[in-house]
Protein backbone atom coordinates (compact mmCIF):
# COMPACT_ATOMS: atom_id res chain seq x y z
CA UNK A 1 0.00 0.00 0.00
CA UNK A 2 1.32 3.47 -0.74
CA UNK A 3 1.90 5.75 2.19
CA UNK A 4 1.04 9.40 2.55
CA UNK A 5 4.60 10.47 1.84
CA UNK A 6 4.98 8.36 -1.33
CA UNK A 7 2.06 9.88 -3.24
CA UNK A 8 1.33 13.38 -1.94
CA UNK A 9 -0.48 14.32 -5.17
CA UNK A 10 -3.20 11.68 -4.72
CA UNK A 11 -6.29 13.63 -3.58
CA UNK A 12 -7.81 10.57 -1.85
CA UNK A 13 -4.88 10.10 0.55
CA UNK A 14 -4.94 12.17 3.74
CA UNK A 15 -2.13 14.62 4.23
CA UNK A 16 -0.39 15.03 7.56
CA UNK A 17 -2.13 18.37 8.34
CA UNK A 18 -5.53 16.77 7.54
CA UNK A 19 -4.87 13.84 9.89
CA UNK A 20 -3.60 16.11 12.66
CA UNK A 21 -6.67 18.33 12.20
CA UNK A 22 -9.01 15.33 12.53
CA UNK A 23 -7.20 14.15 15.67
CA UNK A 24 -7.23 17.59 17.31
CA UNK A 25 -10.93 18.00 16.49
CA UNK A 26 -11.63 14.71 18.31
CA UNK A 27 -9.71 15.75 21.44
CA UNK A 28 -12.79 15.83 23.71
CA UNK A 29 -13.99 12.41 22.57
CA UNK A 30 -10.51 10.93 23.10
CA UNK A 31 -10.30 12.44 26.57
CA UNK A 32 -13.75 11.11 27.54
CA UNK A 33 -12.79 7.67 26.20
CA UNK A 34 -9.66 7.63 28.36
CA UNK A 35 -11.31 9.06 31.46
CA UNK A 36 -13.94 6.30 31.42
CA UNK A 37 -11.17 3.71 31.36
CA UNK A 38 -8.77 5.14 33.95
CA UNK A 39 -11.23 6.98 36.21
CA UNK A 40 -9.09 10.10 36.60
CA UNK A 41 -9.17 13.15 34.34
CA UNK A 42 -5.58 14.20 35.07
CA UNK A 43 -4.28 10.72 34.26
CA UNK A 44 -6.43 10.65 31.11
CA UNK A 45 -4.96 13.99 30.00
CA UNK A 46 -1.42 12.70 30.57
CA UNK A 47 -2.10 9.54 28.59
CA UNK A 48 -3.69 11.56 25.78
CA UNK A 49 -0.74 13.95 25.52
CA UNK A 50 1.69 11.04 25.46
CA UNK A 51 -0.40 9.29 22.78
CA UNK A 52 -0.52 12.45 20.65
CA UNK A 53 3.26 12.70 20.76
CA UNK A 54 3.72 9.03 19.85
CA UNK A 55 0.96 9.09 17.26
CA UNK A 56 2.16 12.20 15.47
CA UNK A 57 5.56 10.55 14.97
CA UNK A 58 3.82 7.73 13.04
CA UNK A 59 1.08 9.63 11.25
CA UNK A 60 2.91 9.53 7.91
CA UNK A 61 2.70 5.74 7.91
CA UNK A 62 -1.11 5.86 7.97
CA UNK A 63 -2.60 3.79 5.14
CA UNK A 64 -5.17 5.20 2.73
CA UNK A 65 -8.14 3.07 3.80
CA UNK A 66 -7.50 3.60 7.48
CA UNK A 67 -9.52 6.20 9.34
CA UNK A 68 -7.24 8.50 11.33
CA UNK A 69 -9.66 8.51 14.28
CA UNK A 70 -9.99 4.70 14.39
CA UNK A 71 -6.22 4.39 14.10
CA UNK A 72 -5.76 6.80 17.02
CA UNK A 73 -8.29 4.92 19.17
CA UNK A 74 -6.08 1.82 18.76
CA UNK A 75 -3.13 3.88 20.00
CA UNK A 76 -5.22 5.03 22.98
CA UNK A 77 -6.30 1.47 23.87
CA UNK A 78 -2.64 0.41 23.82
CA UNK A 79 -1.73 3.42 25.98
CA UNK A 80 -4.39 2.46 28.56
CA UNK A 81 -3.05 -1.11 28.62
CA UNK A 82 0.48 0.23 29.14
CA UNK A 83 -0.77 2.50 31.94
CA UNK A 84 -2.34 -0.40 33.84
CA UNK A 85 0.74 -2.57 33.32
CA UNK A 86 3.02 0.15 34.72
CA UNK A 87 0.65 0.71 37.62
CA UNK A 88 0.46 -3.02 38.42
CA UNK A 89 4.25 -3.30 38.25
CA UNK A 90 4.67 -0.31 40.56
CA UNK A 91 2.06 -1.76 42.93
CA UNK A 92 3.83 -5.12 43.05
CA UNK A 93 7.11 -3.34 43.68
CA UNK A 94 5.62 -1.39 46.58
CA UNK A 95 4.09 -4.56 48.04
CA UNK A 96 7.44 -6.36 47.85
CA UNK A 97 9.20 -3.40 49.47
CA UNK A 98 6.60 -3.23 52.24
CA UNK A 99 6.93 -6.96 52.90
CA UNK A 100 10.70 -6.69 52.93
CA UNK A 101 10.59 -3.73 55.32
CA UNK A 102 8.17 -5.58 57.60
CA UNK A 103 10.47 -8.60 57.72
CA UNK A 104 13.53 -6.43 58.27
CA UNK A 105 11.94 -4.41 61.06
CA UNK A 106 12.26 -7.09 63.70
CA UNK A 107 14.97 -9.75 63.69
CA UNK A 108 13.89 -13.30 64.37
CA UNK A 109 13.65 -14.03 68.10
CA UNK A 110 16.23 -16.82 67.87
CA UNK A 111 18.71 -14.57 66.05
CA UNK A 112 18.09 -11.71 68.45
CA UNK A 113 18.61 -14.02 71.45
CA UNK A 114 21.88 -15.31 69.99
CA UNK A 115 23.15 -11.82 69.25
CA UNK A 116 22.06 -10.49 72.64
CA UNK A 117 23.66 -13.44 74.45
CA UNK A 118 26.95 -13.03 72.59
CA UNK A 119 27.06 -9.24 72.93
CA UNK A 120 25.91 -9.46 76.55
CA UNK A 121 28.81 -11.75 77.37
CA UNK A 122 31.25 -9.36 75.72
CA UNK A 123 29.72 -6.35 77.49
CA UNK A 124 30.43 -8.00 80.84
CA UNK A 125 34.16 -7.81 80.04
CA UNK A 126 34.00 -3.99 79.94
CA UNK A 127 34.58 -1.65 82.86
CA UNK A 128 31.53 -1.85 85.17
CA UNK A 129 30.48 1.76 84.46
CA UNK A 130 30.54 1.08 80.68
CA UNK A 131 28.64 -2.21 81.03
CA UNK A 132 26.00 -0.50 83.15
CA UNK A 133 25.67 2.40 80.69
CA UNK A 134 25.13 0.01 77.76
CA UNK A 135 22.68 -2.11 79.73
CA UNK A 136 20.52 0.86 80.69
CA UNK A 137 20.68 2.83 77.42
CA UNK A 138 20.92 0.11 74.74
CA UNK A 139 19.18 -2.88 76.28
CA UNK A 140 16.68 -1.29 78.66
CA UNK A 141 16.03 1.62 76.26
CA UNK A 142 16.41 4.29 78.95
CA UNK A 143 17.06 7.78 77.56
CA UNK A 144 20.60 9.10 78.08
CA UNK A 145 19.25 11.98 80.20
CA UNK A 146 17.35 9.57 82.45
CA UNK A 147 20.47 7.40 82.75
CA UNK A 148 22.47 10.50 83.75
CA UNK A 149 20.02 11.17 86.60
CA UNK A 150 20.22 7.50 87.73
CA UNK A 151 24.02 7.51 87.66
CA UNK A 152 24.27 10.93 89.31
CA UNK A 153 26.32 12.46 86.46
CA UNK A 154 25.74 15.30 84.00
CA UNK A 155 23.94 14.72 80.69
CA UNK A 156 27.12 15.39 78.71
CA UNK A 157 29.15 13.05 80.90
CA UNK A 158 26.51 10.33 80.39
CA UNK A 159 26.65 10.85 76.62
CA UNK A 160 30.45 10.53 76.65
CA UNK A 161 30.24 7.41 78.82
CA UNK A 162 27.77 5.72 76.47
CA UNK A 163 29.91 6.67 73.46
CA UNK A 164 33.07 5.27 75.06
CA UNK A 165 31.20 2.14 76.15
CA UNK A 166 30.03 1.53 72.57
CA UNK A 167 33.57 1.98 71.27
CA UNK A 168 34.98 -0.37 73.90
CA UNK A 169 32.32 -2.98 73.05
CA UNK A 170 33.03 -2.60 69.33
CA UNK A 171 36.71 -3.33 69.98
CA UNK A 172 35.76 -6.39 72.05
CA UNK A 173 33.54 -7.68 69.25
CA UNK A 174 36.39 -7.24 66.74
CA UNK A 175 38.77 -9.11 69.06
CA UNK A 176 36.31 -11.90 69.73
CA UNK A 177 34.61 -12.32 66.36
CA UNK A 178 37.28 -11.19 63.88
CA UNK A 179 35.93 -10.53 60.40
CA UNK A 180 32.36 -11.31 61.45
CA UNK A 181 32.40 -7.94 63.21
CA UNK A 182 32.79 -6.23 59.85
CA UNK A 183 30.63 -8.45 57.66
CA UNK A 184 28.01 -9.70 60.10
CA UNK A 185 27.66 -13.11 61.62
CA UNK A 186 24.34 -14.85 61.34
CA UNK A 187 25.68 -18.21 62.52
CA UNK A 188 27.30 -17.44 65.87
CA UNK A 189 29.84 -20.07 66.74
CA UNK A 190 31.66 -18.34 69.55
CA UNK A 191 30.38 -21.01 71.91
CA UNK A 192 29.69 -18.57 74.72
CA UNK A 193 26.88 -19.98 76.86
CA UNK A 194 24.05 -17.78 78.02
CA UNK A 195 24.12 -16.92 81.72
Amino acid sequence: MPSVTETPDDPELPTTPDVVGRLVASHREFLAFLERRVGDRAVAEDILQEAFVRGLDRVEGLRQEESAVAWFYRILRNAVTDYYRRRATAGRGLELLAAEMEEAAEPAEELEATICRCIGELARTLRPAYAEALQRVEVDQVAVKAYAVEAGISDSNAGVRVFRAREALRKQVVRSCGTCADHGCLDCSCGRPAR
Side-chain angles (χ1 to χ4, degrees), residues 42-187:
V43 171
E45 288 174 353
D46 289 345
I47 292 172
L48 182 57
Q49 290 303 318
E50 195 175 305
F52 268 132
V53 169
R54 272 192 273 144
L56 292 178
D57 286 343
R58 294 185 249 150
V59 75
E60 291 183 6
L62 191 61
R63 295 188 306 259
Q64 176 182 356
E65 69 274 0
E66 230 174 355
S67 161
V69 173
W71 166 77
F72 197 70
Y73 271 115
R74 279 196 305 276
I75 291 175
L76 293 179
R77 280 190 284 281
N78 290 338
V80 169
T81 301
D82 290 345
Y83 164 75
Y84 280 113
R85 282 185 185 143
R86 283 191 304 268
R87 196 168 121 179
T89 300
R92 282 191 305 271
L94 288 174
E95 287 171 8
L96 287 173
L97 178 61
E100 185 178 308
M101 293 300 287
E102 191 173 299
E103 289 173 11
E106 294 294 325
E109 285 183 36
E110 183 179 310
L111 176 61
E112 187 174 352
T114 300
I115 292 170
C116 288
R117 182 176 57 239
C118 189
I119 297 298
E121 288 295 320
L122 290 173
R124 287 188 186 96
T125 66
L126 302 177
R127 290 179 31 193
Y130 288 176
E132 179 190 358
L134 289 177
Q135 176 67 39
R136 294 300 290 144
V137 173
E138 298 296 338
V139 178
D140 299 339
Q141 300 291 309
V142 171
V144 174
K145 287 184 178 190
Y147 166 68
V149 171
E150 286 177 10
I153 56 177
S154 70
D155 293 351
S156 60
N157 194 349
V160 170
R161 186 177 290 178
V162 170
F163 174 79
R164 288 181 179 165
R166 287 176 183 153
E167 285 299 302
L169 180 60
R170 185 186 62 76
K171 288 176 184 174
Q172 284 294 81
V173 170
V174 169
R175 268 189 232 120
S176 176
C177 300
T179 60
C180 289
D182 293 327
H183 306 291
C185 181
L186 298 179
D187 184 20

